[in-house]
């Protein structure tokens, strides 16, 4: 009918109002991340099922030849049998050159200087002032990649974002970016979690992996 509906997330666990698309890259099924989600099952180019009042205990199959549209605090007024076309645009457009990309923030260091500005990057004051376990990725002055996990002081609190930036400087970092912290902080080597007990670590939906090629 010419109607257009924005889908702002793809296979994402980041919770925000709006509609997200989930494909088989997410898994064979989807469990709602919040209560009272609504959505559509799309197979081929048609809506085959409408989903209402979904709860976390529900399980919805993700079709191999289609996808799910899941809406939170909004809705899409399409009916079963209606035809849909999917248009995808990457903003900025050069991000389309990177099939694996991870968003994070705020930026901590740039060219050897602390450039932390949570307000400009639209992080809440509570997040900026939080004292927690932290993780970051950085590049040293020698060009080495640094994967950093910082936990609570013994018997005390964790680091603030400002403290994390200063720690990276002490590690000779030139550029540094804050990653997800708290219970998501963890470093694993060969399948073993190095920096914390596995019972204290959260399940995560994405991460950064480094794989070494065998010597020729």
């Amino acid at each position: 009918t010419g109607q257009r509906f924005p889908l702002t997330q793809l296979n994402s666990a980041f919770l925000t109002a709006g509609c997200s698309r989930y494909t088989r890259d997410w898994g064979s099924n989807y469990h709602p991340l919040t209560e009272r989600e609504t959505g559509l099952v799309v197979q081929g180019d048609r809506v085959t099922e409408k989903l209402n009042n979904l709860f976390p205990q529900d399980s919805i199959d993700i079709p191999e030849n289609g996808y799910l549209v899941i809406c939170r605090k909004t809705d899409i007024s399409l009916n079963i049998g209606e035809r849909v076309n999917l248009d995808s645009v990457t903003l900025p457009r050069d991000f389309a050159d990177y099939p694996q990309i991870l968003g994070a923030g705020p930026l901590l260091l740039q060219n050897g200087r602390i450039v932390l500005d949570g307000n400009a990057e639209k992080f809440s004051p509570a997040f900026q002032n939080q004292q927690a376990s932290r993780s970051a990725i950085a590049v040293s002055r020698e060009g080495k990649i640094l994967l950093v996990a910082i936990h609570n002081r013994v018997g005390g609190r964790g680091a603030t974002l400002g403290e994390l930036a200063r720690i990276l400087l002490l590690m000779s970092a030139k550029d540094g970016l804050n990653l997800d912290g708290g219970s998501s902080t963890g470093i694993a080597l060969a399948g073993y979690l190095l920096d914390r007990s596995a019972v204290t670590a959260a399940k995560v939906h994405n991460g950064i992996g480094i794989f070494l090629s065998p010597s020729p």
Side-chain angles (χ1 to χ4, degrees):
T1 59
Q3 298 179 83
R4 297 183 66 88
F5 303 98
L7 305 178
T8 57
Q9 306 285 338
L10 172 63
N11 294 327
S12 175
F14 183 71
L15 298 179
T16 182
C19 296
S20 302
R21 185 164 68 99
Y22 292 90
T23 70
R24 275 295 178 108
D25 286 339
W26 175 265
S28 60
N29 54 58
Y30 169 81
H31 296 275
L33 303 176
T34 59
E35 294 187 349
R36 300 190 182 282
E37 295 180 352
T38 61
L40 305 169
V41 179
V42 178
Q43 292 180 275
D45 60 355
R46 294 190 182 276
V47 177
T48 59
E49 187 177 354
K50 296 192 71 171
L51 308 168
N52 295 303
N53 288 326
L54 298 175
F55 286 83
Q57 61 267 28
D58 295 326
S59 178
I60 302 100
D61 290 335
I62 300 177
E64 293 186 7
N65 64 334
Y67 52 89
L68 296 180
V69 175
I70 297 295
C71 299
R72 305 178 185 101
K73 297 183 179 179
T74 188
D75 197 10
I76 289 181
S77 56
L78 291 174
N79 297 312
I80 294 175
E82 286 195 274
R83 187 174 179 220
V84 294
N85 294 312
L86 183 66
D87 293 325
S88 296
V89 176
T90 303
L91 298 174
R93 289 187 180 274
D94 58 355
F95 275 17
D97 297 333
Y98 303 93
Q100 303 292 335
I101 192 165
L102 179 69
L107 186 65
L108 301 171
L109 303 180
Q110 191 169 38
N111 295 322
R113 296 176 56 250
I114 294 178
V115 294
L116 173 62
D117 190 343
N119 290 330
E121 296 192 42
K122 300 186 180 346
F123 287 95
S124 69
F127 176 84
Q128 296 181 57
N129 298 323
Q130 188 179 24
Q131 299 165 339
S133 296
R134 300 283 181 188
S135 59
I137 186 169
V139 179
S140 73
R141 296 186 183 97
E142 295 77 29
K144 294 181 179 180
I145 295 175
L146 306 176
L147 296 176
V148 181
I150 298 171
H151 293 282
N152 295 345
R153 297 169 174 84
V154 176
R157 61 178 178 80
T160 64
L161 289 172
E163 289 171 333
L164 176 59
R166 292 193 290 274
I167 289 171
L168 293 180
L169 278 181
L170 292 173
M171 297 175 66
S172 297
K174 178 173 175 272
D175 301 300
L177 180 70
N178 179 64
L179 302 175
D180 195 13
S183 59
S184 298
T185 299
I187 290 183
L189 177 64
Y192 293 94
L193 198 60
L194 300 182
D195 58 315
R196 65 191 306 159
S197 168
V199 298
T200 69
K203 293 181 178 180
V204 296
H205 293 277
N206 50 51
I208 297 174
I210 295 179
F211 302 88
L212 302 181
S213 298
S215 300

